[in-house]
Amino acid sequence: MTDHALRLLRQHPRLAELAGFPFDFDLDRAVHGHVEPVRLASGGPLEVLAGDDTGGTYFRCADGSVLYADSEGSAGVIGTSVDEALEILIGLPGWRDCLDLSPADGEAAILARVAEAEDDMREYYSIDAERAELRAALGFPERSPVELVGLLHAALLRTEPDHVLLNAEEGMAYALLDLHSRPPLWEPVLAAGRVGLERLRAGDTTVADDPLRRRLVLRAAQFDRADGDLDLLRLLLRREAESSMSDELRLAAVLVGLRADPADLPLLHEVRGTDYDTWCGLGGVPDPDADGAELRRWAEGLDDSLFGTDPSDEPSQTWTDLAAAQGLTELARVTLIRRLDAFDMNQNLLRHPADPTALDPAPLGSLAYDFEQLGDTEQALRARRLYAALQESAWDRVSALLDVAGLERASDRLRPAARTLAALRDTLTTSDDASLAHWRGVNLGRFIAEEHHALAHALADADLPEEARAVLAGAEEIRAELSEAAAKGLAARAAELERRLGTVS
């Protein structure tokens, strides 16, 4: 479909007036933009097409899809093109009351809901003559409400992962407009693994040669557990050992061990002896002369604590890591963003399982790392800043702020990095926390000074000499506090920066 109808609206004031009222697609509101700065999580342009009388905005995405965002923080695709979106808006003027409908609800339920919404409208204004006039002028056929609900439902399901809207300043994602169920992340992630497992069963052992395909096949085998796979699992175990220690190597060992064949114990010990990491990671393997029952008990213990047979019980990081590795970047990104949003909105989710009175910010550190692996610095910084804010000891807070400043500098956010280092210095000078008692004589102090020097250098490169001098002054304050051993070598770098800044106007 095309945007032919949009061109007609822009060319003919009467048609634009009808679209604006009663169908609430007001071209004149486009000049005001949305109620707040927004962007797509996946990147790409957003063109404001129109607005409605509730503060909502219609955007066109790069692929032609129309994304609607309301003023309350929800957004969703409502058409695969402008023409399709306008057909839905005109044919279902009460479309907001139909967001939870799908073709599965049946014709009677759909027609009843649409009739109820339109009858409510007719109490206040006319819609039928206007709909007929606008449809005819734009060349739209007279589709049934059932067909239009089907188009709307299909469009809404396309919102994730490529059309997720973010607040451009805070980085938080808009909620979905609808509550329709979506496939869990593990389903598309495991799809390739299931194909690979079937190919391996058919005799294609090359599947086991590729590290990523092998990981996916092992995950598929985790939830399949078909009889007759023991030889395949032995092959996967041997090949996975070539990649050293991994969660999938431990999984392969467990799947082999669950078959309770004592003849596999020499293989398990051989794999365990691959290197130091595998030796530590596969600890507890029964002795080579153990029986099958002991081997099964060992495997069942690890299976119960680490793996299992329900993919929904697997840690979400398993699926986001495998999604990103397969190139399903946006699926991984959206899952991670929504997880970070949940932590941001409800920090009780970070309560330590062993001590509900304490927060455990560690998941935020993992999220920051995952975002960095995806190249999403903005979300990584969100996670690192929240991680720093939740640190209880001054030492941990200073260390976290140091990481934030380094990431800000590396992503050319130089002024924010300078502010972060100023907050770090303030913590050092004002905190009486005993955890900071020895920062002057250990590597932390040196690392802080080195980050100041790196940022001063970057600021000078960016022709920001005054900011560079201020950061260098902060570095000198830190260096003056350090022990002689910790400060070793820093004086030369400081002198070099002083000379350079002396030549900058």
Side-chain angles (χ1 to χ4, degrees), residues 419-441:
R419 292 193 292 269
T420 298
L421 287 182
L424 184 157
R425 294 195 304 274
D426 184 61
T427 301
L428 288 177
T429 57
T430 62
S431 176
D432 56 1
D433 191 325
S435 66
L436 284 176
H438 305 292
W439 73 269
R440 297 168 182 82

Side-chain angles (χ1 to χ4, degrees), residues 77-152:
V77 172
I78 61 167
T80 59
S81 68
V82 181
D83 279 10
E84 183 178 278
L86 282 168
E87 270 206 78
I88 292 168
L89 297 181
I90 296 166
L92 296 174
W95 65 274
R96 293 175 186 81
D97 294 321
C98 301
L99 290 171
D100 64 328
L101 291 175
S102 77
D105 291 306
E107 180 176 352
I110 291 172
L111 292 177
R113 178 78 63 82
V114 171
E116 180 182 6
E118 294 189 0
D119 286 345
D120 288 344
M121 292 180 178
R122 291 185 185 99
E123 289 185 15
Y124 301 98
Y125 48 82
S126 169
I127 58 173
D128 298 297
E130 290 80 1
R131 175 160 50 197
E133 179 181 353
L134 196 50
R135 269 178 168 166
L138 299 180
F140 290 159
E142 188 172 340
R143 297 185 191 270
S144 73
V146 175
E147 184 177 359
L148 292 172
V149 164
L151 291 174
L152 177 61

Side-chain angles (χ1 to χ4, degrees), residues 399-416:
S399 298
L401 287 171
L402 184 61
D403 289 338
V404 171
L407 185 55
E408 288 171 333
R409 172 181 55 79
S411 58
D412 292 326
R413 293 167 168 84
L414 303 183
R415 287 190 171 100

Side-chain angles (χ1 to χ4, degrees), residues 27 35 60 135 138 168 192 207 224 340 351 391 442 449 484 487:
L27 297 178
V35 294
R60 176 163 52 187
R135 269 178 168 166
L138 299 180
V207 172
D224 190 304
L340 178 54
R351 293 288 174 191
Q391 296 304 313
V442 295
E484 182 177 350

